Amino acid sequence: MGESGEFQQHLEVRKYQLEREENLTEKEYQIAVIPGDGIGPEVVREGLKVLGEAATRCGFRFRSAQYDFGGERYLRTGETLPSSALEELKEMDAIYLGAVGHPRVEPGILEKGIILRIRFGLDQYVNLRPVKLYPGVWTPLKDKGPDDIDFVVVRENTEGLYLGIGGLVREGTADEIAIQEMVNTRGGVERCIRYAFEYTRKRNRKKKLTLSDKANVLTYAHNLWRRVFNEVGKEFPDVERECAFVDATCMWMVKNPEWFDVMVTCNMFGDIITDLGAMIQGGMGIAAGGNINPQGVSMFEPIHGSAPKYGGKNVACPLAAISAAQMMLEHLGEIEAAELIEEAIKKTLSSGHIKDLSTASGLKTDEMGDMVVKFLGEGG
Ligand code: IPM
Ligand code: MG
């Protein structure tokens, strides 16, 4: 081998070493994946496909650990989420959930046993739900467009009516009493409200935070919320504060959604108004959310359920699950990747190929995922 050949070889070796070093410094995320029931597995599959493409393009890796929690496993084993699994989830960087819910399982078992157990067990005290209408998406709101529908709901996620404290007495008689307590702790309310103020400041749009409550009737619980809201708000003089009753909030979400920037609310109200939010942003096919523990492990999911009727048919819209993956990357600090995914979603939506975001979109679940991947490849 001549001198130049040796030099060439040296260059090749060096290049290989440099690439290796770069790979070794690449970040790797451990993601727990819970596909769940019904359409869960197929929409999650598309989300992971998009995540894989984003990872390749942006130079990070992720390793997924699959968990089969859901209705099938429950019917087979009687188990919803074993404690050992909860411990394993605590070691992950994030959790990616499809949907749980099975027609042969009584309502409440999987919801409480899996979703709420993770939310509570991992202290994911905020449920973050962006309501954003993308260009090209149909909204049932007349004369409203993407400039009008763009706000975020910060829903308290570990207390309120969801805690499950209560009971039935004289069950089955005419004198039966059913009690379900609404729990509001100073600490729980304060940390959620503080998160919402910080989020509003960081979002840096209208810099307005609306507390949606029912302080005119829930004169104990939501008195606490209002006091804490105004107290914490004093630390954020740059954020405008506004209070709205939850019934009026529903009215304004339909009539004047452009008034909202960030909204903070209790667990139950947040559950209800975010389904309304999902509808005005184009439906369950696009709405996603994150269950956030700012100091711990967070979980990302499409807001829609398992829609068992459509499970395995390859007709569900995967964009909500893909948006959830995007939120997960943003949370992990992979901002560039998250932005690329959002751009690819927008291009998919305005491509003219998608009739709507229901199961009759005109595209198959995997075709829509492929399209997002294709646009992702073209972006950046
Ligand atoms: C949601 C869902 C859940 C909730 C159910 C499935 C427990 O409706 O994420 O909004 O009520 O929080
Ligand atoms: Mg809900």
Side-chain angles (χ1 to χ4, degrees):
M1 190 184 294
E3 224 169 79
S4 76
E6 249 174 61
F7 183 64
Q8 199 56 42
Q9 198 181 20
H10 166 79
L11 279 184
E12 290 297 320
V13 170
R14 190 65 197 127
K15 199 169 144 228
Y16 171 76
Q17 284 172 339
L18 283 173
E19 269 171 13
R20 226 180 109 76
E21 271 167 34
E22 203 179 316
N23 279 339
L24 287 176
T25 54
E26 252 183 16
K27 274 209 202 119
E28 182 177 274
Y29 299 102
Q30 302 280 347
I31 310 289
V33 180
I34 309 175
D37 304 310
I39 59 170
E42 51 207 289
V43 295
V44 156
R45 184 191 61 216
E46 298 312 308
L48 291 175
K49 200 153 92 181
V50 173
L51 209 58
E53 177 71 16
T56 312
R57 289 187 60 83
C58 299
F60 63 89
R61 286 178 293 170
F62 69 93
R63 197 180 299 177
S64 55
Q66 297 263 338
Y67 291 89
D68 66 347
F69 308 130
E72 292 299 335
R73 176 174 170 145
Y74 173 74
L75 290 170
R76 221 174 44 240
T77 65
E79 202 170 45
T80 46
L81 184 103
S83 306
S84 59
L86 201 58
E87 292 310 309
E88 277 176 46
L89 293 179
K90 288 183 184 160
E91 302 303 316
M92 300 286 165
D93 290 306
I95 305 166
Y96 187 43
L97 173 79
V100 296
H102 196 288
R104 286 194 291 126
V105 180
E106 201 185 307
I109 293 180
L110 301 172
E111 290 85 342
K112 278 187 174 177
I114 301 175
I115 299 185
L116 299 186
R117 185 129 190 264
I118 297 176
R119 288 180 185 168
F120 296 169
L122 270 55
D123 206 19
Q124 295 164 341
Y125 64 84
V126 161
N127 196 326
L128 195 65
R129 299 192 161 177
V131 178
K132 186 169 182 175
L133 178 70
Y134 286 121
V137 177
W138 181 81
T139 175
L141 300 191
K142 191 165 173 282
D143 301 330
K144 300 290 174 190
D147 289 340
D148 305 305
I149 302 172
D150 185 2
F151 59 91
V152 178
V153 179
V154 174
R155 163 185 173 190
E156 200 290 319
N157 211 30
T158 51
E159 304 194 335
L161 282 164
Y162 274 70
L163 220 49
I165 296 180
L168 296 170
V169 252
R170 304 187 198 127
E171 197 178 334
T173 72
D175 301 320
E176 182 164 355
I177 304 173
I179 291 180
Q180 187 119 21
E181 300 284 358
M182 185 190 209
V183 178
N184 297 267
T185 68
R186 168 79 203 201
V189 171
E190 185 173 333
R191 64 183 182 172
C192 173
I193 285 179
R194 189 173 292 283
Y195 181 95
F197 274 108
E198 277 162 7
Y199 188 89
T200 311
R201 180 179 272 172
K202 210 170 105 209
R203 180 170 147 93
N204 200 18
R205 295 277 172 83
K206 296 194 182 82
K207 291 258 204 114
K208 179 164 113 177
L209 179 62
T210 306
L211 169 65
S212 182
D213 64 16
K214 191 70 185 172
N216 51 345
V217 173
L218 304 178
T219 46
Y220 308 119
H222 286 177
N223 175 289
L224 173 65
W225 275 78
R226 283 215 175 177
R227 268 185 292 120
V228 174
F229 183 64
N230 288 318
E231 268 174 49
V232 174
K234 292 204 182 92
E235 295 169 36
F236 297 82
D238 51 324
V239 176
E240 185 193 337
R241 296 198 291 276
E242 174 187 77
C243 294
F245 297 136
V246 67
D247 42 357
T249 304
C250 291
M251 182 178 78
W252 285 322
M253 276 172 72
V254 172
K255 196 172 163 285
N256 298 96
E258 68 280 4
W259 287 352
F260 296 115
D261 179 16
V262 182
M263 230 189 267
V264 62
T265 191
C266 67
N267 208 341
M268 188 80 257
F269 294 173
D271 176 49
I272 299 167
I273 66 173
T274 53
D275 265 29
L276 176 56
M279 281 302 125
I280 67 172
Q281 72 178 119
M284 286 300 183
I286 187 78
N291 301 271
I292 312 286
N293 176 343
Q295 290 84 36
V297 184
S298 300
M299 172 167 74
F300 298 84
E301 52 174 335
I303 294 186
H304 62 65
S306 60
K309 198 162 92 183
Y310 299 108
K313 298 214 165 84
N314 200 22
V315 293
C317 176
L319 292 177
I322 295 172
S323 290
Q326 173 217 323
M327 287 183 78
M328 177 162 75
L329 289 182
E330 198 178 313
H331 179 80
L332 291 171
E334 294 295 342
I335 308 298
E336 188 199 346
E339 281 171 359
L340 281 177
I341 295 181
E342 186 171 24
E343 277 314 305
I345 291 174
K346 281 190 194 163
K347 284 183 186 159
T348 303
L349 288 168
S350 41
S351 67
H353 291 292
I354 301 167
K355 283 210 297 282
D356 62 42
L357 301 175
S358 73
T359 49
S361 66
L363 282 186
K364 299 284 182 201
T365 307
D366 58 342
E367 287 172 341
M368 225 187 280
D370 289 342
M371 195 179 270
V372 178
V373 167
K374 184 182 120 236
F375 285 125
L376 193 62
E378 290 170 9

